[in-house]
Structures are given as C-alpha cells and as structure tokens.
Amino acid sequence: MSPEIKLEDAFQARIDDEQKIEPKDWMPEKYRKTHIRQISQHAHSEIVGMLPEGNWITRAPSLKRKLGLLAKVQDEAGHGLYLYSAAETLGISRDELFDQLHTGKAKYSSIFNYPTLSWADIGAIGWLVDGAAIINQVMLTRTSYGPYARAMVRICKEESFHQRQGYEIMLTLCQGMPEQKAMAQDALNRFWWPSLMMFGPRDSDSPNTEQSVKWKIKRKTNDELRQQFVDITVPQAEYLGITIPDPDLKWNEDRGHYDFGEIDWEEFWQVVKGNGPCNKERLKARVDAWEEGAWVREAAVAYSTKIKNNEVKRTA
Ligand code: FAQ
C-alpha cells in the first residue's frame, strides 16, 4: 500500500471517529480544495449579501428598523471576515480570495443576485434567506474542519437574530393595512423560489455532495436541507396569513413532509453562471469598493512599516 493511501485511510478513520481536522493536520489535497471552495464561496456570499439590504439602510421606515438593519448588515461583514480567516488557514491568501471574487471566478450564493424592490423584501430576506442559511449552517457547526465548524457556532447565533428581525417585519406588515400585507405577499412571491435554490442543485445533479458527505463536510444533502426548510417555513407563512406561490405545495401524510413543485433549474444555472438580474451590478459594487478603498490599505501598510522601523510610536 502506498504511503499516500495509508494517509488517506488514516484520515478517513479520523473523520469516521468524529475527530476535527485542524489546519496543521495532514489532509488530502481534494479535502483542502473543497474547503477553500466552499468556505470562500460562503465568505463572498456574506459580503455580497450586504448589498441588497444595504440598499435599504437609508430608507428604513423608522429609527428602530434602521438600527436593526444596520446591526444585521454589520454582522454579515463580520461573518465574511471570520470565514475569510478560516479559508486562510488552508493556505490561500486573502488577496487571492478577493481576486477570485473580483474577476468573477468565484461563486457566491445565487440569492444575492435578485433585487430588493420594497421594504417588505428586507423582511422576506431575514425570514427566508437567513432562515435557509441557518438550516444549512446549523449542519455546518458539526462540519469536520475545526476552524469552519467553530466560526459557524457564532454565525448561527447571529443568523437566528437576523431571521427573527425579518419575520417580525413580515408580521408587522401582515397585521397592518391591506397595502402592507400586499407588499409582504409580493416579497414572498419573489423570494420563495430563489430561497429554495440557495440549497444548491438536486442531489442527482450535485457533483460535490457524495464526497463532501463522506468527509462530513456536509452532514445532510441539498435535497434533505431544502425539504427541512419547506417543512419549517410553510406553517410560518400560514401564521402570517400569506400564500406560498406554489400550487403543488401540499402536506404528504405518508412521507410526513410537504410535497412541493419543481424549481426552475434553468433560472438557477443562469444566475449561477452570472446572468441573473443583478449579477453585474453586484460584482461592480464590490470591485468599486475595492478600488476606492486602495488608499486605506496603502495608508495602513505605510503606517505599519513606520512602526516596524520605529519611525512612529504605536497609538492605542
Ligand atoms: N448559488 O455540488 P454542489 C447567507 C454551486 S450565506 C451559487 O451541490 P456544494 C447569509 C456550487 O458551489 C449563503 N452557486 O455544491 C446571509 C458548485 O460549484 P462548483 C451561502 C451554487 O458546494 C443571509 C456547483 O454549484 N451559504 O445567506 C449554489 O456541495 C442574508 C454544484 O453544486 C453557503 O455558502 C447557489 N445557491 O453544495 C448573508 C453555505 N448552490 O463545484 C446576507 C456553505 C450550488 O462548480 C444576507 N455552502 N452552487 O465550483 C454550502 O453548504 C454548499 O456549498 C452548498 C452547495 C449547499 C451551497
């Protein structure tokens, strides 16, 4: 048996034994690459995910709503930073990660390529998008790579606050005037299907799931998590008194789950490939922010060089 195969067997045995893999441990190259791909896609999603909501900070309907939204968007920046740090432990630099995003090589979640047209969209994003994110991320608190799993614990706590603030916005609108309830219904109509797409392609079309489940990167498959999301969310929509835009949605007594209609996979792949309603706008916003922030990075480097050369004293 070659030394490489022995190492791989020992690695799989550690995974099967529920041990966490840490940055300095030996790992198969594909395990490292899969994690860099997934964690960086996740980090980019948090950062790009600030844009649709950021659009509403100046237009939030009250001071309380503005504070809540500001805090949420800041949390997302923090999540991006923990995740970039976790990816860096796998031997890739932050500059490389940003370069992949800015040149369009890296993926980020399809959901953030849809526009936020009304205040109700902010409620729908918190309720549905953060709701979907939590279902996926609670699973990731038990992922096999230590730094990713630990980052997820804090992220999940914050995401659950995000989900509640979104649901509470929806509840307020649904208990308000008919026009407000109609706004909530319209937001649900537009965000329902893209939220289901967040879980990724069907298991039968998912090239990464089988290996990722074996390595316990993923503990559940895309379809299992999507079903869990539908089952949790339908009663929440019923409580709000609004209708999920799916004529095929119905409780299946035998399965003990809701059946639901077919996702428009053509739309999903178009958005993933860069042809969604806001892909170009989102990427441009990130590239502009990077270029406009160049002077801050240069000033920080110049200052740290001066400190190293004892030309200035560090200030608190
Ligand atoms: N969008 O073989 P699979 C959030 C790609 S965070 C775009 O099934 P995998 C917080 C996939 O990368 C939301 N691309 O892949 C927040 C793969 O690409 P490849 C982000 C997608 O990795 C809330 C290819 O398709 N969460 O929302 C999508 O095993 C509110 C084949 O797919 C995470 O990133 C998609 N929806 O499973 C922030 C969680 N789905 O191989 C602001 C971590 C799939 O061609 C506001 N990620 N692809 O390079 C994961 O759990 C997994 O990566 C999945 C996909 C489940 C997303």
Side-chain angles (χ1 to χ4, degrees):
M1 194 186 283
S2 79
E4 186 76 5
I5 292 179
K6 263 194 186 161
L7 281 169
E8 280 192 25
D9 287 348
F11 179 83
Q12 188 62 49
R14 286 189 63 192
I15 300 269
D16 295 343
D17 188 40
E18 296 294 334
Q19 291 178 34
K20 288 277 177 262
I21 306 302
E22 296 298 337
K24 289 188 177 157
D25 295 345
W26 184 88
M27 59 185 82
E29 197 46 30
K30 193 166 173 227
Y31 179 88
R32 181 190 305 278
K33 290 216 167 101
T34 300
H35 260 107
I36 291 177
R37 179 184 65 77
Q38 181 168 319
I39 300 173
S40 63
Q41 178 192 331
H42 194 165
H44 299 324
S45 302
E46 297 281 356
I47 298 298
V48 177
M50 295 162 73
L51 295 168
E53 290 171 296
N55 188 34
W56 279 89
I57 291 172
T58 54
R59 289 179 285 163
S62 69
L63 180 62
K64 181 184 132 190
R65 293 296 187 204
K66 186 170 176 138
L67 288 172
L69 185 57
L70 261 177
K72 178 182 193 294
V73 173
Q74 283 175 353
D75 285 350
E76 280 147 12
H79 299 174
L81 298 183
Y82 313 150
L83 289 164
Y84 284 128
S85 300
E88 283 175 303
T89 64
L90 291 154
I92 187 160
S93 72
R94 201 165 300 199
D95 279 349
E96 283 173 272
L97 294 170
F98 284 149
D99 188 61
Q100 289 174 359
L101 175 66
H102 297 155
T103 54
K105 270 187 236 144
K107 293 191 170 75
Y108 57 84
S109 184
S110 48
I111 188 74
F112 302 116
N113 293 305
Y114 291 86
T116 42
L117 304 177
S118 81
W119 172 250
D121 290 7
I122 301 305
I125 288 179
W127 172 35
L128 301 173
V129 176
D130 286 276
I134 295 170
I135 286 182
N136 174 274
Q137 292 172 8
V138 164
M139 161 190 88
L140 293 173
T141 61
R142 295 189 301 118
T143 194
S144 58
Y145 187 55
Y148 193 24
R150 289 189 288 274
M152 278 301 131
V153 173
R154 177 162 174 180
I155 292 180
C156 279
K157 286 186 185 157
E158 293 177 347
E159 300 285 27
S160 75
F161 149 70
H162 297 171
Q163 198 270 352
R164 289 169 71 107
Q165 72 87 41
Y167 193 69
E168 205 258 331
I169 291 173
M170 294 300 273
L171 198 55
T172 305
L173 291 172
C174 289
Q175 291 171 346
M177 295 186 299
E179 290 84 349
Q180 289 174 300
K181 192 164 181 186
M183 274 168 65
Q185 179 67 60
D186 174 60
L188 172 59
N189 292 348
R190 284 179 292 105
F191 277 92
W192 175 252
W193 292 105
S195 299
L196 295 191
M197 293 175 194
M198 286 177 70
F199 295 95
R202 276 186 295 240
D203 293 349
S204 52
D205 297 325
S206 162
N208 300 300
T209 292
E210 191 184 345
Q211 183 62 66
S212 288
V213 168
K214 195 167 169 223
W215 277 331
K216 298 187 180 168
I217 296 173
K218 284 166 126 173
R219 299 266 176 170
K220 289 184 181 171
T221 70
N222 300 357
D223 286 335
E224 285 168 347
L225 292 173
R226 193 169 9 248
Q227 180 72 62
Q228 198 180 329
F229 174 73
V230 172
D231 291 347
I232 288 178
T233 311
V234 172
Q236 295 173 350
E238 281 167 2
Y239 186 77
L240 292 173
I242 48 181
T243 310
I244 290 180
D246 178 357
D248 296 324
L249 184 75
K250 65 170 190 306
W251 180 250
N252 182 324
E253 201 60 54
D254 296 338
R255 291 202 309 123
H257 291 291
Y258 282 94
D259 290 337
F260 54 96
E262 185 65 13
I263 289 169
D264 182 346
W265 293 112
E266 172 57 24
E267 175 181 325
F268 170 73
W269 289 115
Q270 282 301 328
V271 178
V272 171
K273 283 184 198 145
N275 304 320
C278 299
N279 293 60
K280 290 185 183 60
E281 183 185 329
R282 300 288 185 241
L283 213 54
K284 182 177 180 317
R286 288 312 315 155
V287 171
D288 287 352
W290 178 253
E291 286 171 359
E292 284 161 20
W295 69 272
V296 179
R297 295 190 297 280
E298 284 159 19
V301 170
Y303 183 63
S304 80
T305 310
K306 281 188 178 177
I307 287 183
K308 256 189 238 144
N309 297 341
N310 285 322
E311 289 168 36
V312 287
K313 280 207 167 69
R314 188 189 293 274
T315 50

